[in-house]
Amino acid sequence: MSTLSDLVYAQGRSTDADVEWLHRLAGDGQLLADLAFADIVIWVPTADDSFIAVAHTRPSGAATLFYRDIVGDLVRPQWRTQVRDAFTRAEIVDSASPDWFEETPTRVRAVPIVRERGSAEHPPRVVGVLTRHTNLGEARTPSRQQITFNDCADDLFGMVASADFPDLAAPTSPRRGAPRASDGLIRMDVDGITTFASPNALSAFNRLGFDDELEGESLLEVATGILPKGRDFDESLPIVMAGRAPWRADIEARGVTVSLRTIPLKDRGHRIGAIVLCRDVTEIRHQEQELITKDATIREIHHRVKNNLQTVASLLRIQSRRTHSDEARDALTHAMRRVSAIAVVHDTLSEGLAQNVDFDDVFNRVLKLVAEVAASPNTRARTSKSGTFGTLPSEYATPLALALTELVTNAVEHGLADQEGEVEIIAERTEERLGVKVRDTGVGLPEGQVGRGLGTQIVRTLIQGELSGTIDWHTLVGSGTEVTIEIPMRYLDRARA
């Protein structure tokens, strides 16, 4: 299914700023639908003088009119004139009489989506039209809460038509548990006095320790009275509670956390009050804190493992210097290098929250380590890397790092022994596979013959056994050796999932 951006850009009539405005408005589609108890659809003009739906939100507290997704559909003939009038006149246009949709009586309101108000010299910039489709088949005597919700929706529709909503100063990407209209809604006047509080909103503040009625009270004074003395609180909380800025904050008291979101209400740019949405997010915040603690613990474990591995590598290095056997010295040096390569992976994991690693960063560090340690006094090896590995799960970064460490080491120590040359590592990643080539300009191998040492056995075990990949050694035309590794991405993706 096409995204809002795809559909808008396909019409060729909108700028990046227009698309951002429409995205922000669509992000509040659920709020508008719940306040209006109606379906909300966003339309943008097409090249052939019609309109196409780019976003649709169904109300959570009322029956939807559209049981099938209409995003991507052209505006229906019975709405076209109304939508066009709202767009061209930059005015809200209501249907004159009930509109019938699939045998259901509805009322349609078309609201111009204005991004710039305009002036005497320039007309307002209208980037689309928002339509509200109210189901009249479920008409009943509205409650005080429903009347207030509808009034709030009408205020927001007016702000949409005057370029006051959405507010680009408001934060994006809300935290998990962002409050919705059904979670609790408070309506305030321009002085910050509560004129309406839904039952859920009142219950949330009761759990915080406020045991009176909210209506008629200053929400800022209420918050001041229930906050524990001497405890730090969110610096944005006073602004949120006074209804003066489109911001979010948490209020904590008595072990309860309530998330707040303020939407200042304006009439042609002048503030007339505010809506405050509130939601008890105590359990959600506890879960988030537990995750943060677990993440910190995991990072600390990786950090300690890295330190321990570096200690082991240092001990191996010391032991290799003290031994008098060349064979033992080489074995200890190889072991030290392998341990150091594993330590690099754990060091990378200790720096972030995710259990996936940027393998390009890991391999660049490993490559530097190998090039410095493997080269002998008579060997001058130049190493280079091209292409990208991308992000890999941590459990597969270690075996790949070890395998490539062995291959580069072999290329330097054996392929370029006592001579000058190059070792090139080429990475190629697609959706289906990760391919790696390790190529040197050394003496090469007899075709069809592969070393039988411990390093070769380790590489085969890691690539074929742990990564379900394939590996092949062959001599390049002229001189040098090329090792080709193929790892199926579906295996890595399944492991990461």
Side-chain angles (χ1 to χ4, degrees), residues 64-134:
T64 181
L65 286 169
F66 306 107
Y67 294 95
R68 298 178 185 85
D69 197 350
I70 67 170
V71 172
D73 292 352
L74 294 176
V75 65
R76 300 196 176 209
Q78 64 264 39
W79 308 325
R80 186 181 297 123
T81 300
Q82 185 180 352
V83 170
R84 184 183 295 113
D85 287 347
F87 184 82
T88 56
R89 289 157 40 190
E91 297 177 357
I92 295 177
V93 180
D94 289 308
S95 55
S97 59
D99 175 76
W100 289 85
F101 179 80
E102 296 184 356
E103 300 182 354
T104 301
T106 67
R107 179 181 294 113
V108 180
R109 165 171 284 191
V111 181
I113 302 173
V114 180
R115 188 168 72 81
E116 297 173 359
R117 282 198 190 95
S119 61
E121 296 80 15
H122 302 286
R125 179 167 180 78
V126 184
V127 297
V129 175
L130 178 151
T131 52
R132 181 192 69 182
H133 303 260
T134 306

Side-chain angles (χ1 to χ4, degrees), residues 36 51 61 99 102 147 152 174 189 217 223 230 253 344 348 394 430 457 497:
F51 291 84
D99 175 76
E102 296 184 356
I147 292 173
C152 291
D189 62 18
E217 299 287 342
V344 169
T348 303
S394 59
T430 67
Q457 295 177 29

Side-chain angles (χ1 to χ4, degrees), residues 109-269:
R109 165 171 284 191
V111 181
I113 302 173
V114 180
R115 188 168 72 81
E116 297 173 359
R117 282 198 190 95
S119 61
E121 296 80 15
H122 302 286
R125 179 167 180 78
V126 184
V127 297
V129 175
L130 178 151
T131 52
R132 181 192 69 182
H133 303 260
T134 306
N135 187 342
L136 299 179
E138 294 187 337
R140 60 183 183 274
T141 303
S143 64
R144 180 167 176 251
Q145 174 169 310
Q146 185 170 354
I147 292 173
T148 303
F149 276 31
N150 279 323
D151 288 343
C152 291
D154 289 341
D155 288 333
L156 290 177
F157 291 144
M159 291 168 62
V160 170
S162 61
D164 289 317
F165 190 82
D167 193 326
L168 297 185
T172 58
S173 302
R175 294 180 64 181
R176 192 165 65 99
R180 302 157 298 190
S182 57
D183 295 319
L185 181 142
I186 297 171
R187 175 77 184 248
M188 296 190 301
D189 62 18
V190 70
D191 297 317
I193 304 300
T194 301
T195 59
F196 172 83
S198 71
N200 286 344
L202 182 59
S203 296
F205 275 82
N206 287 161
R207 287 191 287 273
L208 287 169
F210 181 73
D211 56 3
D212 204 344
E213 293 294 328
L214 282 173
E215 293 184 18
E217 299 287 342
S218 165
L219 200 59
L220 180 56
E221 293 179 2
V222 168
T224 303
I226 61 180
L227 284 172
K229 305 299 181 185
R231 181 183 296 181
D232 293 335
F233 57 87
D234 193 327
E235 294 180 355
S236 63
L237 186 60
I239 299 175
V240 171
M241 302 299 279
R244 294 181 177 276
W247 212 250
R248 297 188 176 105
D250 285 356
I251 180 171
E252 300 180 29
R254 299 175 61 179
V256 175
T257 303
V258 173
S259 179
L260 304 170
R261 178 194 177 187
T262 292
I263 304 173
L265 298 177
K266 299 178 181 179
D267 182 9
R268 295 288 172 178

Side-chain angles (χ1 to χ4, degrees), residues 367-393:
L367 188 60
K368 183 178 180 181
L369 171 71
V370 171
E372 290 177 353
V373 176
S376 64
N378 297 325
T379 302
R380 297 180 62 185
R382 296 184 298 274
T383 57
S384 63
K385 169 184 162 292
S386 60
T388 179
F389 291 93
T391 301
L392 296 177

Side-chain angles (χ1 to χ4, degrees), residues 190-475:
V190 70
D191 297 317
I193 304 300
T194 301
T195 59
F196 172 83
S198 71
N200 286 344
L202 182 59
S203 296
F205 275 82
N206 287 161
R207 287 191 287 273
L208 287 169
F210 181 73
D211 56 3
D212 204 344
E213 293 294 328
L214 282 173
E215 293 184 18
E217 299 287 342
S218 165
L219 200 59
L220 180 56
E221 293 179 2
V222 168
T224 303
I226 61 180
L227 284 172
K229 305 299 181 185
R231 181 183 296 181
D232 293 335
F233 57 87
D234 193 327
E235 294 180 355
S236 63
L237 186 60
I239 299 175
V240 171
M241 302 299 279
R244 294 181 177 276
W247 212 250
R248 297 188 176 105
D250 285 356
I251 180 171
E252 300 180 29
R254 299 175 61 179
V256 175
T257 303
V258 173
S259 179
L260 304 170
R261 178 194 177 187
T262 292
I263 304 173
L265 298 177
K266 299 178 181 179
D267 182 9
R268 295 288 172 178
H270 300 287
R271 194 167 61 86
I272 59 173
I275 299 170
V276 179
L277 305 176
C278 51
R279 178 179 182 180
D280 187 337
V281 293
T282 305
E283 187 61 31
I284 293 175
R285 295 294 181 262
H286 284 168
Q287 293 173 359
E288 290 177 348
Q289 188 59 47
E290 289 177 359
L291 289 174
I292 292 173
T293 302
K294 289 179 180 178
D295 286 335
T297 301
I298 291 172
R299 291 201 308 275
E300 178 62 21
I301 290 172
H302 284 303
H303 180 71
R304 293 189 181 188
V305 170
K306 181 263 296 185
N307 288 343
N308 291 338
L309 289 172
Q310 288 181 336
T311 300
V312 172
S314 298
L315 293 174
L316 291 170
R317 183 183 296 108
I318 293 172
Q319 188 64 42
S320 69
R321 291 173 179 172
R322 289 173 176 263
T323 186
H324 299 291
S325 168
D326 291 341
E327 184 178 352
R329 184 181 301 110
D330 289 343
L332 289 170
T333 301
H334 281 297
M336 180 271 295
R337 190 181 303 117
R338 291 161 188 154
V339 171
S340 297
I342 300 174
V344 169
V345 176
H346 283 282
D347 188 30
T348 303
L349 289 168
S350 70
E351 297 172 354
L353 294 176
Q355 288 302 296
N356 296 327
V357 298
D358 180 353
F359 194 78
D360 292 285
D361 177 57
V362 170
F363 185 66
N364 287 338
R365 296 165 67 181
V366 169
L367 188 60
K368 183 178 180 181
L369 171 71
V370 171
E372 290 177 353
V373 176
S376 64
N378 297 325
T379 302
R380 297 180 62 185
R382 296 184 298 274
T383 57
S384 63
K385 169 184 162 292
S386 60
T388 179
F389 291 93
T391 301
L392 296 177
S394 59
E395 60 266 37
Y396 299 102
T398 298
L400 184 57
L402 272 175
L404 294 178
T405 297
E406 294 296 328
L407 293 174
V408 175
T409 300
N410 286 340
V412 174
E413 289 188 341
H414 303 297
L416 300 178
D418 298 326
Q419 67 181 48
E420 181 178 350
E422 298 180 359
V423 179
E424 183 181 11
I425 300 90
I426 306 169
E428 181 182 352
R429 180 166 179 170
T430 67
E431 293 183 359
E432 294 78 24
R433 54 178 280 279
L434 171 62
V436 185
K437 292 182 179 179
V438 179
R439 180 185 299 162
D440 67 67
T441 58
V443 296
L445 292 170
E447 192 64 34
Q449 296 186 21
V450 179
R452 299 178 181 177
L454 177 61
T456 302
Q457 295 177 29
I458 289 175
V459 171
R460 286 193 184 278
T461 300
L462 294 171
I463 298 300
Q464 297 175 349
E466 296 198 30
L467 298 176
S468 295
T470 60
I471 183 168
D472 178 56
W473 282 263
H474 61 275
T475 299

